[in-house]
Amino acid sequence: WDETAAVTPFGQLAFFIEFLKTAGLWEGWVQECPVTYESPNAPAKTDVLGTILLSVLAGHRRYAHITALRFDGVNPQLLGMTKVCSEDSVRRAFSAVDQAECMAWLTRHLRISYQPLLSESWILDIDSTVKPLYGHQEGAVKGYNPGKPGRPSHVYHTYFAATVRLVLDVEVQAGNQTASSYAQPEFWNYIDSLPAEARPAFVRGDCDWGTERMMAAAEERKILYLFKLKQRSKVKRLIEQAFSRQDWVSAGQGWKGVEAELMLTGWSRQRRVIVLRRRILDERLLAEKKRLADTTPDQQLALGFVEIVKDGPLYEYAVLVTSLPDEILSLGQHYRDRADAENNFDELKNQWGWSGFTTHDLKRCQIMARTIALIYNWWSLFTRLAIPEKHAEAITSRPLLLNAVGKQTTHSGQTTVTVTSMHAKAPQMRSALQAISSFLATIRNAAEQLTYPQKWLLVLSRVFCHFLKGRILGQSQSVPETG
């Protein structure tokens, strides 16, 4: 046993730390943190926030898992830490902090991570997910919980930038506040805080968001929207009327659609709706079709809304409400793309700790949710430097770009970290990380007169060079060759 060797299981983390420091993300986040200590024995802010960063990157879900990092002898020094804090120090760090001040700090740095991207055309996805709880935490009440019915929970109302899969903001509420009406006040505060040129091309959500209150607020602000409607009686009647129409057009991936106008009870005006249908080829449902072929039309309409015609095809339906002027084919694809938000939740809950790091009070749960979202954004942007053509989830990117044995040695006053990766794609990732390091060195050395926001603009332009086709964000000329 060698208890004195300076080693780490995350040997490639040095490249990520270089990324954070070059862009000024790490120093700014630590310096503006509202946590203060009066005791001379208390840990430093850098130690607390660095411990959280290392724990979240390692894929931990509980504060108790932090113990596994206590003897990392390499990465804490690179972050400017003097030690890895205990789980109790991290858990108690935000207990006495003013909530409004802490939320403003985290929101500001979340926006820094993506703000320059909002000058491009983008789509905002809104959705929520349920986090089951197993104690007596504040806000742990029974609500809509499809995975564990009857289990108390919290609900995470979240806004995403579509395609690039970045978290814009997240709000944690009690488990019985899953309806969009609970999220809308904070959501519209967020939208109103954006400059007109940074607002989304349109807002997209599922049937929980297709309400009069939501659509009226969007129309008042001249923001376009695309939502799904719940299949209530008038919506079912609309689908029934569409049965006999002959003007169904392709909506992509086997779907067909027709356009109509609809005004539901409680709506202030008629709105454009798109009725979509797709033939079902599932054998189980086809067997059900044969059994129901002789039922009356009224009975057919009550069965999860599928169309039953004897010796004919079986269809599933969806109804969208929108203020977009696009044709049916584009609208169908836009709504199918919304399903990517579910992949975001799956990654954040199962690979980034949103399903854990629970404390008794709701305040610290909210703080940790936004902190994880911020670190997730940072890591997602870093991995796109190495893999620019797609988003790599943590289950793939951690073994590639993080997990490697790192051993630190010091000789003649020079400290060296030797990295050994056991991944099959280690040679490719070594080349990618060296290219990233060269690019970051170019930013530091050739752009010393630039401020951190200006450097971050150049870094983001390189991160999304695949989307921007060589442009620098906010400019028309091509990105110069660097690195």
Side-chain angles (χ1 to χ4, degrees), residues 19 113-114 116-118 120 161-166 377 380-382 384-385 387-391 439 456-473 479:
F19 167 79
S113 69
Y114 62 77
L117 298 171
L118 302 189
E120 304 294 316
T163 306
V164 296
R165 295 179 68 166
L166 296 177
N377 280 359
S380 298
L381 293 169
F382 173 73
R384 278 189 183 271
L385 276 175
I387 313 171
E389 66 276 5
K390 66 176 183 179
H391 172 84
F439 165 70
W456 182 230
L457 200 65
L458 294 175
V459 172
L460 277 180
S461 299
R462 177 65 173 257
V463 170
F464 291 104
C465 61
H466 183 74
F467 290 93
L468 297 171
K469 302 186 186 304
R471 288 191 299 109
I472 294 179
L473 282 167
V479 178

Short mmCIF file of all heavy atoms in Angstrom, two decimals, residues 19 113-114 116-118 120 161-166 377 380-382 384-385 387-391 439 456-473 479:
data_model
loop_
_atom_site.label_atom_id
_atom_site.label_comp_id
_atom_site.label_asym_id
_atom_site.label_seq_id
_atom_site.Cartn_x
_atom_site.Cartn_y
_atom_site.Cartn_z
N PHE A 19 -9.75 24.24 -19.51
CA PHE A 19 -10.88 24.83 -20.24
C PHE A 19 -11.62 25.83 -19.37
O PHE A 19 -11.92 26.96 -19.79
CB PHE A 19 -11.80 23.69 -20.68
CG PHE A 19 -13.15 24.11 -21.18
CD1 PHE A 19 -13.32 24.60 -22.47
CD2 PHE A 19 -14.28 23.98 -20.38
CE1 PHE A 19 -14.58 24.97 -22.94
CE2 PHE A 19 -15.53 24.34 -20.82
CZ PHE A 19 -15.68 24.85 -22.12
N SER A 113 -22.89 30.58 -19.29
CA SER A 113 -22.48 29.38 -20.03
C SER A 113 -23.12 29.29 -21.41
O SER A 113 -22.58 28.59 -22.28
CB SER A 113 -22.81 28.12 -19.21
OG SER A 113 -24.21 27.91 -19.12
N TYR A 114 -24.26 29.96 -21.62
CA TYR A 114 -24.93 29.84 -22.92
C TYR A 114 -25.38 31.16 -23.53
O TYR A 114 -25.82 31.19 -24.68
CB TYR A 114 -26.17 28.94 -22.79
CG TYR A 114 -27.23 29.46 -21.85
CD1 TYR A 114 -28.09 30.47 -22.22
CD2 TYR A 114 -27.39 28.91 -20.57
CE1 TYR A 114 -29.06 30.95 -21.36
CE2 TYR A 114 -28.35 29.38 -19.71
CZ TYR A 114 -29.19 30.39 -20.10
OH TYR A 114 -30.16 30.86 -19.24
N PRO A 116 -24.13 33.83 -25.11
CA PRO A 116 -23.78 34.23 -26.48
C PRO A 116 -24.50 33.41 -27.56
O PRO A 116 -24.69 33.89 -28.68
CB PRO A 116 -22.27 34.00 -26.53
CG PRO A 116 -21.82 34.09 -25.11
CD PRO A 116 -22.93 33.50 -24.32
N LEU A 117 -24.91 32.19 -27.23
CA LEU A 117 -25.58 31.35 -28.22
C LEU A 117 -26.97 31.84 -28.55
O LEU A 117 -27.53 31.50 -29.60
CB LEU A 117 -25.66 29.91 -27.70
CG LEU A 117 -24.33 29.19 -27.46
CD1 LEU A 117 -24.56 27.87 -26.76
CD2 LEU A 117 -23.60 28.96 -28.77
N LEU A 118 -27.57 32.64 -27.66
CA LEU A 118 -28.95 33.08 -27.87
C LEU A 118 -29.06 34.12 -28.98
O LEU A 118 -30.17 34.48 -29.37
CB LEU A 118 -29.52 33.65 -26.56
CG LEU A 118 -29.52 32.69 -25.35
CD1 LEU A 118 -30.30 33.30 -24.21
CD2 LEU A 118 -30.08 31.33 -25.71
N GLU A 120 -28.18 33.43 -31.89
CA GLU A 120 -28.57 32.60 -33.02
C GLU A 120 -30.04 32.21 -32.88
O GLU A 120 -30.63 32.34 -31.81
CB GLU A 120 -27.69 31.35 -33.07
CG GLU A 120 -26.21 31.62 -33.13
CD GLU A 120 -25.79 32.29 -34.42
OE1 GLU A 120 -26.25 31.86 -35.49
OE2 GLU A 120 -25.00 33.26 -34.36
N ALA A 161 -32.30 24.46 -24.16
CA ALA A 161 -32.04 24.92 -25.52
C ALA A 161 -31.97 23.68 -26.39
O ALA A 161 -31.08 22.84 -26.23
CB ALA A 161 -30.73 25.71 -25.60
N ALA A 162 -32.94 23.53 -27.30
CA ALA A 162 -33.05 22.32 -28.10
C ALA A 162 -31.81 22.14 -28.97
O ALA A 162 -31.10 23.09 -29.29
CB ALA A 162 -34.30 22.38 -28.97
N THR A 163 -31.57 20.89 -29.36
CA THR A 163 -30.47 20.45 -30.23
C THR A 163 -29.12 20.50 -29.51
O THR A 163 -28.42 19.49 -29.46
CB THR A 163 -30.39 21.28 -31.53
OG1 THR A 163 -31.67 21.24 -32.18
CG2 THR A 163 -29.35 20.69 -32.47
N VAL A 164 -28.74 21.64 -28.94
CA VAL A 164 -27.46 21.71 -28.25
C VAL A 164 -27.54 21.11 -26.85
O VAL A 164 -26.51 20.89 -26.20
CB VAL A 164 -26.94 23.16 -28.16
CG1 VAL A 164 -26.65 23.70 -29.55
CG2 VAL A 164 -27.91 24.07 -27.43
N ARG A 165 -28.75 20.88 -26.36
CA ARG A 165 -28.99 20.16 -25.09
C ARG A 165 -28.30 20.83 -23.91
O ARG A 165 -27.62 20.18 -23.11
CB ARG A 165 -28.56 18.69 -25.24
CG ARG A 165 -29.41 17.94 -26.25
CD ARG A 165 -28.99 16.50 -26.41
NE ARG A 165 -29.28 15.70 -25.22
CZ ARG A 165 -29.25 14.37 -25.19
NH1 ARG A 165 -28.94 13.70 -26.28
NH2 ARG A 165 -29.51 13.71 -24.09
N LEU A 166 -28.50 22.13 -23.78
CA LEU A 166 -28.01 22.87 -22.62
C LEU A 166 -29.18 23.24 -21.72
O LEU A 166 -30.27 23.55 -22.21
CB LEU A 166 -27.27 24.13 -23.06
CG LEU A 166 -25.99 23.94 -23.87
CD1 LEU A 166 -25.41 25.28 -24.28
CD2 LEU A 166 -24.96 23.13 -23.08
N ASN A 377 -23.61 21.73 -18.06
CA ASN A 377 -23.40 22.61 -19.22
C ASN A 377 -21.91 22.74 -19.54
O ASN A 377 -21.50 22.66 -20.70
CB ASN A 377 -24.00 23.99 -18.96
CG ASN A 377 -25.50 24.03 -19.16
OD1 ASN A 377 -26.12 23.03 -19.53
ND2 ASN A 377 -26.10 25.18 -18.94
N SER A 380 -20.65 19.48 -21.03
CA SER A 380 -21.20 19.27 -22.37
C SER A 380 -20.48 20.12 -23.40
O SER A 380 -20.19 19.66 -24.51
CB SER A 380 -22.70 19.59 -22.39
OG SER A 380 -23.42 18.73 -21.52
N LEU A 381 -20.18 21.37 -23.04
CA LEU A 381 -19.46 22.25 -23.96
C LEU A 381 -18.03 21.77 -24.17
O LEU A 381 -17.51 21.81 -25.29
CB LEU A 381 -19.48 23.68 -23.42
CG LEU A 381 -20.86 24.35 -23.37
CD1 LEU A 381 -20.80 25.64 -22.57
CD2 LEU A 381 -21.38 24.61 -24.78
N PHE A 382 -17.40 21.30 -23.10
CA PHE A 382 -16.03 20.79 -23.22
C PHE A 382 -15.98 19.56 -24.12
O PHE A 382 -15.08 19.44 -24.98
CB PHE A 382 -15.48 20.46 -21.83
CG PHE A 382 -14.15 19.77 -21.85
CD1 PHE A 382 -13.00 20.45 -22.18
CD2 PHE A 382 -14.05 18.42 -21.52
CE1 PHE A 382 -11.76 19.81 -22.20
CE2 PHE A 382 -12.83 17.78 -21.54
CZ PHE A 382 -11.68 18.47 -21.88
N ARG A 384 -17.89 18.79 -26.51
CA ARG A 384 -18.12 19.15 -27.91
C ARG A 384 -16.84 19.67 -28.58
O ARG A 384 -16.72 19.63 -29.80
CB ARG A 384 -19.22 20.19 -28.03
CG ARG A 384 -20.63 19.60 -27.98
CD ARG A 384 -21.67 20.64 -28.31
NE ARG A 384 -23.01 20.11 -28.20
CZ ARG A 384 -23.67 19.51 -29.19
NH1 ARG A 384 -23.10 19.38 -30.37
NH2 ARG A 384 -24.90 19.08 -29.01
N LEU A 385 -15.90 20.15 -27.78
CA LEU A 385 -14.61 20.51 -28.35
C LEU A 385 -13.89 19.28 -28.89
O LEU A 385 -13.21 19.33 -29.92
CB LEU A 385 -13.73 21.20 -27.31
CG LEU A 385 -13.94 22.70 -27.09
CD1 LEU A 385 -13.07 23.17 -25.94
CD2 LEU A 385 -13.62 23.49 -28.35
N ILE A 387 -15.59 16.22 -29.46
CA ILE A 387 -16.50 15.50 -30.37
C ILE A 387 -17.50 16.53 -30.89
O ILE A 387 -18.63 16.62 -30.41
CB ILE A 387 -17.22 14.36 -29.63
CG1 ILE A 387 -16.21 13.54 -28.81
CG2 ILE A 387 -17.97 13.46 -30.60
CD1 ILE A 387 -16.84 12.52 -27.89
N PRO A 388 -17.12 17.36 -31.86
CA PRO A 388 -17.96 18.50 -32.25
C PRO A 388 -19.24 18.15 -32.98
O PRO A 388 -20.17 18.95 -33.02
CB PRO A 388 -17.03 19.32 -33.16
CG PRO A 388 -16.06 18.33 -33.70
CD PRO A 388 -15.86 17.32 -32.62
N GLU A 389 -19.33 16.95 -33.53
CA GLU A 389 -20.46 16.64 -34.40
C GLU A 389 -21.70 16.16 -33.65
O GLU A 389 -22.77 16.03 -34.24
CB GLU A 389 -20.07 15.58 -35.44
CG GLU A 389 -19.73 14.20 -34.87
CD GLU A 389 -18.29 14.06 -34.38
OE1 GLU A 389 -17.58 15.09 -34.40
OE2 GLU A 389 -17.89 12.95 -33.99
N LYS A 390 -21.59 15.90 -32.34
CA LYS A 390 -22.76 15.40 -31.61
C LYS A 390 -22.60 15.64 -30.12
O LYS A 390 -21.52 16.01 -29.63
CB LYS A 390 -22.94 13.90 -31.86
CG LYS A 390 -21.82 13.04 -31.29
CD LYS A 390 -22.11 11.56 -31.48
CE LYS A 390 -21.02 10.70 -30.85
NZ LYS A 390 -21.29 9.26 -30.99
N HIS A 391 -23.71 15.44 -29.39
CA HIS A 391 -23.68 15.51 -27.92
C HIS A 391 -23.34 14.12 -27.39
O HIS A 391 -24.03 13.15 -27.69
CB HIS A 391 -25.04 15.96 -27.39
CG HIS A 391 -25.15 15.88 -25.90
ND1 HIS A 391 -24.70 16.88 -25.06
CD2 HIS A 391 -25.64 14.91 -25.09
CE1 HIS A 391 -24.93 16.54 -23.80
NE2 HIS A 391 -25.49 15.35 -23.79
N PHE A 439 -5.43 24.79 -28.65
CA PHE A 439 -6.38 25.87 -28.93
C PHE A 439 -6.52 26.80 -27.73
O PHE A 439 -6.50 28.03 -27.87
CB PHE A 439 -7.73 25.27 -29.30
CG PHE A 439 -8.86 26.25 -29.27
CD1 PHE A 439 -8.97 27.26 -30.22
CD2 PHE A 439 -9.84 26.19 -28.28
CE1 PHE A 439 -10.00 28.18 -30.19
CE2 PHE A 439 -10.88 27.09 -28.23
CZ PHE A 439 -10.96 28.09 -29.20
N TRP A 456 -14.49 33.84 -23.96
CA TRP A 456 -15.55 32.82 -23.92
C TRP A 456 -16.31 32.79 -25.25
O TRP A 456 -16.73 31.73 -25.71
CB TRP A 456 -16.49 33.10 -22.76
CG TRP A 456 -17.60 32.11 -22.57
CD1 TRP A 456 -18.93 32.38 -22.43
CD2 TRP A 456 -17.48 30.69 -22.46
NE1 TRP A 456 -19.64 31.23 -22.26
CE2 TRP A 456 -18.78 30.18 -22.27
CE3 TRP A 456 -16.41 29.80 -22.52
CZ2 TRP A 456 -19.04 28.80 -22.13
CZ3 TRP A 456 -16.66 28.43 -22.39
CH2 TRP A 456 -17.95 27.96 -22.21
N LEU A 457 -16.47 33.95 -25.89
CA LEU A 457 -17.12 34.01 -27.19
C LEU A 457 -16.32 33.22 -28.23
O LEU A 457 -16.90 32.49 -29.05
CB LEU A 457 -17.26 35.46 -27.63
CG LEU A 457 -18.31 35.78 -28.70
CD1 LEU A 457 -19.70 35.51 -28.19
CD2 LEU A 457 -18.19 37.23 -29.14
N LEU A 458 -15.00 33.35 -28.19
CA LEU A 458 -14.15 32.61 -29.11
C LEU A 458 -14.20 31.10 -28.83
O LEU A 458 -14.23 30.28 -29.76
CB LEU A 458 -12.71 33.10 -29.03
CG LEU A 458 -12.43 34.54 -29.49
CD1 LEU A 458 -10.98 34.91 -29.22
CD2 LEU A 458 -12.76 34.68 -30.98
N VAL A 459 -14.22 30.75 -27.54
CA VAL A 459 -14.28 29.33 -27.18
C VAL A 459 -15.61 28.73 -27.64
O VAL A 459 -15.65 27.63 -28.22
CB VAL A 459 -14.09 29.16 -25.66
CG1 VAL A 459 -14.34 27.71 -25.26
CG2 VAL A 459 -12.69 29.58 -25.24
N LEU A 460 -16.73 29.43 -27.38
CA LEU A 460 -18.03 28.91 -27.79
C LEU A 460 -18.12 28.78 -29.31
O LEU A 460 -18.75 27.85 -29.83
CB LEU A 460 -19.15 29.83 -27.29
CG LEU A 460 -19.64 29.63 -25.86
CD1 LEU A 460 -20.75 30.60 -25.53
CD2 LEU A 460 -20.13 28.20 -25.65
N SER A 461 -17.52 29.72 -30.02
CA SER A 461 -17.52 29.64 -31.49
C SER A 461 -16.79 28.39 -31.96
O SER A 461 -17.20 27.75 -32.93
CB SER A 461 -16.87 30.88 -32.09
OG SER A 461 -17.58 32.05 -31.73
N ARG A 462 -15.71 28.03 -31.26
CA ARG A 462 -14.98 26.80 -31.60
C ARG A 462 -15.80 25.57 -31.21
O ARG A 462 -15.84 24.58 -31.95
CB ARG A 462 -13.63 26.80 -30.90
CG ARG A 462 -12.79 25.56 -31.11
CD ARG A 462 -12.36 25.39 -32.56
NE ARG A 462 -11.41 24.27 -32.68
CZ ARG A 462 -10.10 24.43 -32.81
NH1 ARG A 462 -9.58 25.66 -32.87
NH2 ARG A 462 -9.31 23.39 -32.90
N VAL A 463 -16.47 25.64 -30.05
CA VAL A 463 -17.28 24.51 -29.59
C VAL A 463 -18.36 24.18 -30.62
O VAL A 463 -18.61 23.01 -30.94
CB VAL A 463 -17.90 24.81 -28.22
CG1 VAL A 463 -18.94 23.76 -27.85
CG2 VAL A 463 -16.82 24.88 -27.14
N PHE A 464 -19.03 25.21 -31.14
CA PHE A 464 -20.15 25.01 -32.06
C PHE A 464 -19.79 25.32 -33.51
O PHE A 464 -20.63 25.77 -34.28
CB PHE A 464 -21.35 25.85 -31.60
CG PHE A 464 -21.96 25.36 -30.33
CD1 PHE A 464 -21.72 26.02 -29.13
CD2 PHE A 464 -22.76 24.22 -30.31
CE1 PHE A 464 -22.29 25.57 -27.94
CE2 PHE A 464 -23.31 23.76 -29.13
CZ PHE A 464 -23.08 24.43 -27.94
N CYS A 465 -18.53 25.08 -33.85
CA CYS A 465 -18.11 25.33 -35.24
C CYS A 465 -18.91 24.49 -36.22
O CYS A 465 -19.15 24.90 -37.36
CB CYS A 465 -16.62 25.06 -35.39
SG CYS A 465 -16.13 23.34 -35.04
N HIS A 466 -19.38 23.31 -35.78
CA HIS A 466 -20.18 22.45 -36.65
C HIS A 466 -21.51 23.11 -36.99
O HIS A 466 -22.00 23.02 -38.12
CB HIS A 466 -20.41 21.10 -35.96
CG HIS A 466 -21.17 20.11 -36.79
ND1 HIS A 466 -20.61 19.46 -37.87
CD2 HIS A 466 -22.45 19.67 -36.71
CE1 HIS A 466 -21.51 18.65 -38.41
NE2 HIS A 466 -22.62 18.76 -37.72
N PHE A 467 -22.13 23.80 -36.01
CA PHE A 467 -23.41 24.47 -36.23
C PHE A 467 -23.22 25.82 -36.91
O PHE A 467 -24.01 26.21 -37.77
CB PHE A 467 -24.14 24.68 -34.90
CG PHE A 467 -24.66 23.42 -34.28
CD1 PHE A 467 -23.91 22.71 -33.36
CD2 PHE A 467 -25.91 22.92 -34.62
CE1 PHE A 467 -24.37 21.55 -32.79
CE2 PHE A 467 -26.38 21.74 -34.06
CZ PHE A 467 -25.62 21.06 -33.14
N LEU A 468 -22.18 26.53 -36.52
CA LEU A 468 -21.97 27.89 -37.03
C LEU A 468 -21.27 27.91 -38.39
O LEU A 468 -21.16 28.98 -39.00
CB LEU A 468 -21.13 28.68 -36.02
CG LEU A 468 -21.76 28.89 -34.65
CD1 LEU A 468 -20.74 29.49 -33.69
CD2 LEU A 468 -22.99 29.77 -34.74
N LYS A 469 -20.79 26.74 -38.83
CA LYS A 469 -20.12 26.63 -40.14
C LYS A 469 -18.94 27.61 -40.25
O LYS A 469 -18.76 28.30 -41.26
CB LYS A 469 -21.11 26.85 -41.28
CG LYS A 469 -22.28 25.87 -41.26
CD LYS A 469 -23.17 26.03 -42.47
CE LYS A 469 -24.41 25.15 -42.37
NZ LYS A 469 -24.12 23.73 -42.18
N GLY A 470 -18.16 27.69 -39.18
CA GLY A 470 -16.94 28.49 -39.21
C GLY A 470 -17.08 29.93 -38.78
O GLY A 470 -16.09 30.65 -38.69
N ARG A 471 -18.31 30.39 -38.49
CA ARG A 471 -18.50 31.77 -38.06
C ARG A 471 -18.15 31.94 -36.59
O ARG A 471 -18.26 31.02 -35.79
CB ARG A 471 -19.96 32.21 -38.24
CG ARG A 471 -20.39 32.42 -39.68
CD ARG A 471 -21.76 33.10 -39.72
NE ARG A 471 -22.79 32.31 -39.09
CZ ARG A 471 -23.37 32.62 -37.92
NH1 ARG A 471 -23.02 33.72 -37.26
NH2 ARG A 471 -24.33 31.85 -37.42
N ILE A 472 -17.73 33.15 -36.23
CA ILE A 472 -17.60 33.53 -34.83
C ILE A 472 -18.95 34.06 -34.37
O ILE A 472 -19.62 34.79 -35.10
CB ILE A 472 -16.51 34.59 -34.63
CG1 ILE A 472 -15.14 33.98 -34.95
CG2 ILE A 472 -16.52 35.13 -33.20
CD1 ILE A 472 -14.01 34.97 -34.81
N LEU A 473 -19.38 33.69 -33.20
CA LEU A 473 -20.68 34.13 -32.68
C LEU A 473 -20.79 35.65 -32.72
O LEU A 473 -19.91 36.36 -32.24
CB LEU A 473 -20.87 33.64 -31.25
CG LEU A 473 -21.26 32.17 -31.09
CD1 LEU A 473 -21.11 31.72 -29.64
CD2 LEU A 473 -22.70 31.95 -31.55
N VAL A 479 -14.11 31.75 -38.48
CA VAL A 479 -13.23 31.62 -37.32
C VAL A 479 -11.80 31.35 -37.80
O VAL A 479 -11.57 30.51 -38.65
CB VAL A 479 -13.68 30.43 -36.44
CG1 VAL A 479 -12.74 30.25 -35.26
CG2 VAL A 479 -15.10 30.66 -35.96
#
